[in-house]
Amino acid sequence: MKVDSSVELKKVHAKEIINYLKRNKSCTKKVMAEELGLSFATVSNICNEMREKGYLEETALEDTKVVGRTPKGISLNYNNLMSLCFDLTRFGVIRVAVADYSTRVVYDDRFDYSQKSSIQEVVQTCGSIYREQVLKRFSEDQIVGVGVAVPGIFEKKTHNIVSSEIELFNNQPMKEMLSKTLGKTVYIDNESNLCVMSEYMRENIYRNQDNIVYLFADEGLGIGVVANGKLICGSGGYAPEICHMPIGNMQMQCHLCSSMGCVESDLRIMGYVEKYNLYGSRKITSYEEFLELWEKKEGTAVQVLEENAAILGRLLSILNNIFNPDCIYIGGETVGLIREVLEKSMEQVTSRLLVQGNVLPEVKMDADCSATVLCGAAEMVFSQWMPL
């Protein structure tokens, strides 16, 4: 990393110290200096400054073999390293959480906004939740930043939300609006990117997996991809996107672009409903109705799910051949249905391997993707926040 000034270098070293303590819990300044390749004076001065801010605390080390005065250990003060997280991926519901630097959730609640008719009202609701609920439990100084999960794409060049399943959010500068309302630095990304980063951090702790794909099948369809330890994201925030891949049913019209055969039309929540109405003699209006028919193994519902299993298989095959991941996660409201037919979908992946005989990626179902989204939002805040 190129650093242009001593002030910037100090900020970089402070973040290195914070992340070192996240991995190692507690240690002396001397050990930290040796491990990070910094001078003792540099580490000591930065630690002292961050301790004054409340980010670090000093404790006596246990199990030390040093004779005489017990050396002091430095550790993170998790009570003063909190991220406020908003999950706005489901229409009408705001899930709010506060997580500490280890992404442990210490507050979690849900609030309804289904009666709100404008983006301004939704933002104001977030502000009210922060002032009336969060600040009753935490001080402003404890919250170092705000992470927001949105459906759609956070366009990096304009800072607008685009291609969102929630029409209220489209072409709106939500980052600026929330920053002004909350008085905090706000970071925004879509649910797929946040989920893949959350799972990557978790996998990297235990198994050192650097290549992960997260497929999010909910009100919309999206993926997040970590390749060689880096989140893949195009210059405008548009990469990678899969919803308009023309591998779906050519009788299904895309609700976003009006083309036929976009894979999102089949695999999003309402895709099951719309396809059932395409094939069935009766009409249904909700995903819950489709689930009831599937549980009864009603003929049209079975036909829809079998067709979608094949489409999902083609999609997974493409993702596997392009990214060659160690693991593919699947999350979202449709996970229960996908679990029922995953074996059938994986037959497509096996038959379309780039090199026959290659090992298939591990496929995992994320049963609580909303919690994964929140952890990803917290990680987004902490990865970009600078302590000094």
Side-chain angles (χ1 to χ4, degrees), residues 202-216:
R202 188 180 306 164
E203 290 287 355
N204 230 31
I205 290 173
Y206 300 109
R207 298 194 294 176
N208 198 32
Q209 292 190 343
D210 284 338
N211 297 278
I212 297 175
V213 170
Y214 194 107
L215 175 64
F216 190 82

Side-chain angles (χ1 to χ4, degrees), residues 57-186:
E57 55 188 3
E58 198 173 69
T59 56
L61 288 176
E62 298 178 359
D63 299 325
T64 179
K65 297 180 180 179
V66 176
V67 177
R69 189 172 63 178
T70 303
K72 297 290 185 179
I74 300 294
S75 59
L76 296 179
N77 183 358
Y78 288 99
N79 288 331
N80 286 340
L81 292 169
M82 302 285 189
S83 168
L84 173 62
C85 307
F86 288 100
D87 179 359
L88 302 178
T89 57
R90 183 56 56 88
F91 176 75
V93 178
I94 300 173
R95 185 173 180 182
V96 183
V98 175
D100 68 20
Y101 207 79
S102 68
T103 65
R104 179 178 64 95
V105 173
V106 295
Y107 168 74
D108 188 358
D109 207 346
R110 288 174 171 82
F111 300 87
D112 179 83
Y113 77 88
S114 57
Q115 301 305 310
K116 308 302 181 185
S117 59
S118 71
I119 186 65
Q120 289 79 10
E121 289 180 300
V122 176
V123 170
Q124 288 168 7
T125 300
C126 291
S128 297
I129 293 168
Y130 176 55
R131 291 187 299 272
E132 297 169 14
Q133 300 298 326
V134 176
L135 291 184
K136 284 183 178 179
R137 298 164 172 83
F138 309 93
S139 71
E140 288 195 49
D141 290 340
Q142 288 177 281
I143 308 295
V144 302
V146 181
V148 181
V150 294
I153 300 167
F154 175 61
E155 196 172 50
K156 292 185 176 180
K157 294 180 179 178
T158 65
H159 284 191
N160 287 349
I161 307 299
V162 297
S163 297
S164 177
E165 296 293 327
I166 299 177
E167 187 57 39
L168 285 180
F169 296 172
N170 272 319
N171 300 310
Q172 297 294 335
M174 189 174 287
K175 177 182 171 74
E176 282 72 18
M177 295 173 73
L178 283 169
S179 295
K180 184 176 180 180
T181 298
L182 300 172
K184 291 284 184 181
T185 302
V186 173

